[in-house]
Amino acid sequence: PTLPIKEEKNGLDLRKTNPSKSVDMEEQIECTSISNENQDNRPSTTTRLYKRRWVMVFLFSCYSLCNAFQWIQYGIINNIFMKFYNVDSFTIDWMSMVYMLTYIPFIWPVSWLLDKKGLRLIALMATAINCLGTWIKVASVRSNLFWVTMLGQFASSLSQVFILGMPSRLASVWFGSEEVSTACSIGVFGNQLGIAIGFLVPPILVPNVDNIDELAYHISIMFYITAGVATVIFILVVFWFQEKPEIPPTLAQVQARSIPPEEYSYVASILRLLRNLPFMLLVISYGLNVGCFYAVSTLLNRMIIEHYPGEEVNAGRIGLTIVIAGMVGSLICGIWLDKTKTYKQTTLAVYLLSFVGMVVYAFTLNLGHLWVVFVTSGALGFFMTGYLPLGFEFAVELTFPECEGTSSGLLNCSAQIFGIIFTIGQGKIIEHFGTFAGNIFLCVFLLIGTIMTAFIKSDLRRQKANHLAETQAASVSISVSAIWCQR
């Protein structure tokens, strides 16, 4: 018989029994094949990475970006929209908080759809609803049509429900075990970049002018640009976004695909997650951290304007600094996790530094120097926003083989609940006691979250599944080689 060919990739030492079989190099980057048919008649197990996986994560990042931009586009020029629609600041705050409120009831049916119907349907629904919301806003640029712009923002917030739980699922379905955390970080990166653009662009496109007609013109320009981008992205997703690769990328995904659909119960999965104590501690601590980020982002304009009147553009730039620093933090953390697999240690360290960053921000905001605010905001954003993909990936490790969309959904649901509580609470505290007291309010909860993270047991189930599968594969390969040698 033909001697086996040794192939090494991603730490595997496997033997391929059919070296003459052709491989499509345009689609395949790597292929590892474990053949054990001669031993127990089981079918061969193959993993493969496709170049198109980068197209999938790029498309997801694009429509996540477009949706995230709309979350903060009202709040960062809060005072301008108050004047245009003749409403109070708390009403404009709800243009951001509606994203959080909508998520809570709708995440359950959307998670069920993600489990049952897969990534493509979720992507199509997300981009279609997002596109609809942007065009509704185009029709709302009149001072007496606040309810129409609120309707458009509600549609955009509904689209977000289909987006937030996808990065970890997309990374697991399309990417290899040595790059899954990086891929998840790239998925989160798109959302963060959208928030960054949402901080930067609205103050530039919509200047604070007194003439309402001129203000309407500037607002309509912003809404038309958003609608055009959302429409192009929807068309791209329709033609290019795919459900999953023909062959799974990791042995863990091979195992996940082997579970018959009739044996899977969404309700049973939720109940198992609720009984998973390390995961539930992560759910609460994740909600505290991300909820604080939502509150700071939503109320940033109010905090900056209180200490630096007339600095709407710089308020946007400070928000941009927070998110850009967080994007860098996310990518660094993702790459670090792929290299070290130190999920618990990295998550705890970043959480602690988020708390320290919030304390420093609270004590320096009122010093009267904008450059100091830029520096402290950047440090806060690096750790607080950089924490987002860490939470997703740590959750997948703690809950494997449960659906990634379900675990991410629970994390995000917690974040939205705490986001609403913290935004309303900090807003009221700022109104009555000032920005310092409002920021200390958030510091207390970040300290609580840090302590809770320290108590999370690091049970890395996905890593164990991959290691077990690789060990079994190596054992089968050695056994087959021994049989051939005997022949």
Side-chain angles (χ1 to χ4, degrees):
T2 306
L3 291 177
I5 294 177
K6 182 177 180 182
E7 180 176 31
E8 292 187 11
K9 192 67 178 177
N10 291 335
L12 294 175
D13 182 1
L14 308 173
R15 284 156 175 84
K16 196 172 180 181
T17 63
N18 188 11
S20 63
K21 186 176 180 180
S22 63
V23 177
D24 183 2
M25 296 305 293
E26 289 300 320
E27 292 293 335
Q28 177 186 342
I29 292 181
E30 59 192 88
C31 176
T32 59
S33 180
I34 310 161
S35 179
N36 56 1
E37 296 180 45
N38 292 331
Q39 189 176 24
D40 56 7
N41 294 322
R42 286 180 295 175
S44 62
T45 302
T46 304
T47 62
R48 186 177 298 178
L49 288 182
Y50 295 86
K51 290 180 180 178
R52 74 184 85 149
R53 71 194 189 279
W54 298 109
V55 176
M56 301 304 109
V57 76
F58 173 74
L59 287 175
F60 170 77
S61 296
C62 286
Y63 70 76
S64 179
L65 179 155
C66 182
N67 182 263
F69 167 81
Q70 297 172 76
W71 168 56
I72 204 64
Q73 70 178 152
Y74 292 90
I76 196 58
I77 49 175
N78 182 296
N79 55 323
I80 295 176
F81 276 108
M82 284 170 56
K83 176 169 58 179
F84 182 74
Y85 286 113
N86 194 26
V87 294
D88 59 24
S89 62
F90 186 66
T91 301
I92 299 299
D93 288 343
W94 271 108
M95 301 300 283
S96 296
M97 288 192 290
V98 69
Y99 264 61
M100 308 172 203
L101 183 63
T102 304
Y103 191 91
I104 298 168
F106 285 100
I107 183 53
W108 311 110
V110 170
S111 293
W112 180 86
L113 277 175
L114 181 59
D115 285 353
K116 294 295 184 181
K117 303 300 181 181
L119 291 170
R120 178 168 168 80
L121 177 65
I122 296 299
L124 288 172
M125 295 185 71
T127 50
I129 297 171
N130 186 62
C131 185
L132 175 64
T134 60
W135 285 107
I136 291 174
K137 292 178 189 178
V138 168
S140 72
V141 190
R142 285 172 53 187
S143 296
N144 62 336
L145 293 180
F146 178 77
W147 68 272
V148 177
T149 207
M150 188 67 183
L151 179 63
Q153 188 72 343
F154 169 75
S156 299
S157 70
L158 183 59
S159 172
Q160 180 212 217
V161 184
F162 293 85
I163 294 172
L164 287 187
M166 280 188 66
S168 55
R169 176 66 178 271
L170 183 68
S172 294
V173 168
W174 279 96
F175 287 82
S177 59
E178 298 302 316
E179 58 189 12
V180 65
S181 297
T182 303
C184 183
S185 297
I186 293 172
V188 175
F189 180 93
N191 189 272
Q192 295 172 342
L193 182 59
I195 297 172
I197 297 172
F199 278 122
L200 177 66
V201 172
I204 296 174
L205 292 180
V206 186
N208 189 4
V209 296
D210 293 327
N211 187 295
I212 297 299
D213 291 334
E214 184 181 352
L215 197 55
Y217 169 77
H218 291 298
I219 293 173
S220 67
I221 291 295
M222 179 174 67
F223 285 166
Y224 269 113
I225 292 173
T226 310
V229 171
T231 303
V232 170
I233 293 173
F234 172 63
I235 294 171
L236 290 175
V237 168
V238 169
F239 287 102
W240 289 97
F241 196 90
Q242 294 180 327
E243 171 63 31
K244 60 184 177 183
E246 292 83 354
I247 297 173
T250 63
L251 295 173
Q253 274 297 299
V254 171
Q255 178 182 337
R257 287 195 191 186
S258 68
I259 301 174
E262 60 272 12
E263 292 184 9
Y264 176 79
S265 168
Y266 177 67
V267 175
S269 177
I270 292 289
L271 293 176
R272 285 193 296 270
L273 290 175
L274 294 177
R275 290 194 295 266
N276 186 331
L277 181 58
F279 173 66
M280 291 312 298
L281 285 173
L282 179 63
V283 166
I284 297 173
S285 61
Y286 181 91
L288 292 173
N289 190 302
V290 181
C292 288
F293 169 71
Y294 287 162
V296 170
S297 300
T298 302
L299 301 173
L300 184 63
N301 175 271
R302 290 172 60 181
M303 288 190 283
I304 299 301
I305 295 302
E306 179 173 326
H307 295 288
Y308 307 92
E311 295 288 354
E312 290 89 357
V313 173
N314 272 322
R317 290 171 180 167
I318 291 169
L320 174 68
T321 302
I322 291 174
V323 182
I324 291 294
M327 289 159 57
V328 175
S330 294
L331 288 177
I332 291 175
C333 289
I335 295 170
W336 175 259
L337 285 185
D338 279 332
K339 297 293 184 183
T340 66
K341 309 300 182 186
T342 54
Y343 291 87
K344 164 71 177 291
Q345 299 90 323
T346 304
T347 302
L348 178 58
V350 171
Y351 210 123
L352 176 61
L353 291 169
S354 297
F355 163 69
V356 173
M358 191 69 215
V359 171
V360 174
Y361 173 80
F363 278 90
T364 58
L365 180 62
N366 61 352
L367 292 182
H369 302 290
L370 265 176
W371 70 268
V372 175
V373 181
F374 274 95
V375 172
T376 57
S377 298
L380 175 65
F382 183 88
F383 298 110
M384 185 176 283
T385 316
Y387 172 80
L388 296 175
L390 291 178
F392 281 151
E393 284 300 290
F394 197 16
V396 174
E397 292 293 335
L398 294 174
T399 61
F400 184 86
E402 305 295 344
C403 176
E404 297 88 349
T406 307
S407 60
S408 298
L410 286 171
L411 288 180
N412 285 318
C413 188
S414 173
Q416 312 308 319
I417 292 171
F418 283 112
I420 293 173
I421 294 171
F422 290 163
T423 301
I424 295 175
Q426 188 187 21
K428 294 299 182 182
I429 292 173
I430 289 174
E431 186 177 328
H432 292 93
F433 303 103
T435 57
F436 178 76
N439 288 322
I440 293 298
F441 166 76
L442 298 184
C443 291
V444 171
F445 287 100
L446 284 173
L447 177 60
I448 294 172
T450 304
I451 296 171
M452 293 182 68
T453 302
F455 284 97
I456 297 175
K457 181 182 177 181
S458 185
D459 181 16
L460 307 182
R461 299 181 180 183
R462 182 174 61 180
Q463 296 302 314
K464 291 177 181 177
N466 273 321
H467 179 70
L468 178 61
E470 291 169 7
T471 302
Q472 291 173 344
S475 176
V476 168
S477 180
I478 293 171
S479 299
V480 172
S481 295
I483 292 172
W484 283 334
C485 289
Q486 290 174 4
R487 289 180 181 177

